[in-house]
Amino acid sequence: DMPPAKQISGQFYRQLYHSASRDIHSLETNWRRGHYILTSVDTGSMALCLQCDEDKIVTGQGDSTIKIWDKSTLDVLNVLKGHTDSVWRLQYKKNVAISGAQDHTIKVWDIQTGQVINELLHHKDRVNSLKFTKDSLVTASGDGTVAVWDIKSPTDITLRMTLKGHEHYVWAVDLSE
């Protein structure tokens, strides 16, 4: 665990830097020596975004689907259908996924059942980026806006505000816990 912010010393950062440097060096050395395994997976269409954890890989596809893969076997466990155009961004936590697509929509999914449990209609162009926490969602769009949403539950999400002012696409957003 990381110590509270006021108690972090220079020593902590030096140790963190050296640990990260060792990890990067190890990865680069293994790559140069050929100590890795590359596996090609036919996703059926272009994977435009992905997230993974210990058990699964979740991809947003150019064919408007979201695929859930078993990480160890690379078998497709489920295909989520509901968008009508390419899925550009997704994020999941536990059994809930939120996706944004070329079809201008944001969909909330129950990963277990594969069903859409909520649909958010706000943006006038492709949803380029999204990030959510327990109680907030932020989305960015090709319409030049950033939308901030309040999450009470996966089925109860309301628009708090729209941030305007960009002259062109907004490509990325981030949100801290």
Side-chain angles (χ1 to χ4, degrees):
D1 287 336
M2 195 162 108
K6 291 181 181 178
Q7 297 175 358
I8 296 177
S9 66
Q11 180 65 24
F12 170 80
Y13 288 112
R14 281 188 290 282
Q15 289 173 341
L16 180 63
Y17 172 79
H18 290 295
S19 174
S21 293
R22 279 192 305 272
D23 290 348
I24 291 168
H25 176 73
S26 177
L27 287 168
E28 288 174 343
T29 300
N30 286 337
W31 180 261
R32 279 193 299 273
R33 292 180 179 169
H35 297 173
Y36 57 86
I37 297 172
L38 291 179
T39 304
S40 177
V41 178
D42 181 9
T43 64
S45 70
M46 184 180 295
L48 301 172
C49 57
L50 69 84
Q51 182 182 343
C52 62
D53 60 24
E54 299 79 26
D55 304 319
K56 63 186 166 299
I57 301 169
V58 180
T59 59
Q61 301 290 135
D63 67 0
S64 76
T65 65
I66 296 170
K67 292 185 178 178
I68 302 172
W69 307 77
D70 181 285
K71 193 171 179 180
S72 61
T73 65
L74 300 178
D75 291 332
V76 176
L77 302 174
N78 202 352
V79 178
L80 311 184
K81 296 179 180 179
H83 283 292
T84 59
D85 209 335
S86 303
V87 178
W88 282 90
R89 290 293 177 261
L90 63 80
Q91 181 188 348
Y92 71 87
K93 290 183 182 179
K94 299 181 183 174
N95 290 321
V96 174
I98 300 180
S99 60
Q102 181 80 29
D103 63 11
H104 311 182
T105 67
I106 300 151
K107 296 197 185 292
V108 183
W109 306 83
D110 179 319
I111 290 180
Q112 297 290 73
T113 66
Q115 299 300 305
V116 174
I117 56 176
N118 201 346
E119 181 177 45
L120 308 176
L121 304 173
H122 174 70
H123 290 294
K124 307 291 184 248
D125 202 332
R126 176 178 73 205
V127 178
N128 293 322
S129 184
L130 62 83
K131 182 78 175 193
F132 75 92
T133 63
K134 177 179 65 116
D135 54 7
S136 297
L137 165 67
V138 179
T139 58
S141 174
D143 64 13
T145 66
V146 173
V148 181
W149 308 78
D150 291 318
I151 300 176
K152 291 183 182 165
S153 73
T155 57
D156 187 2
I157 301 175
T158 55
L159 182 66
R160 182 187 324 158
M161 70 178 75
T162 303
L163 305 174
K164 299 177 182 178
H166 293 276
E167 293 180 17
H168 301 287
Y169 291 164
V170 180
W171 288 104
V173 293
D174 202 359
L175 184 64
S176 62
E177 295 287 334

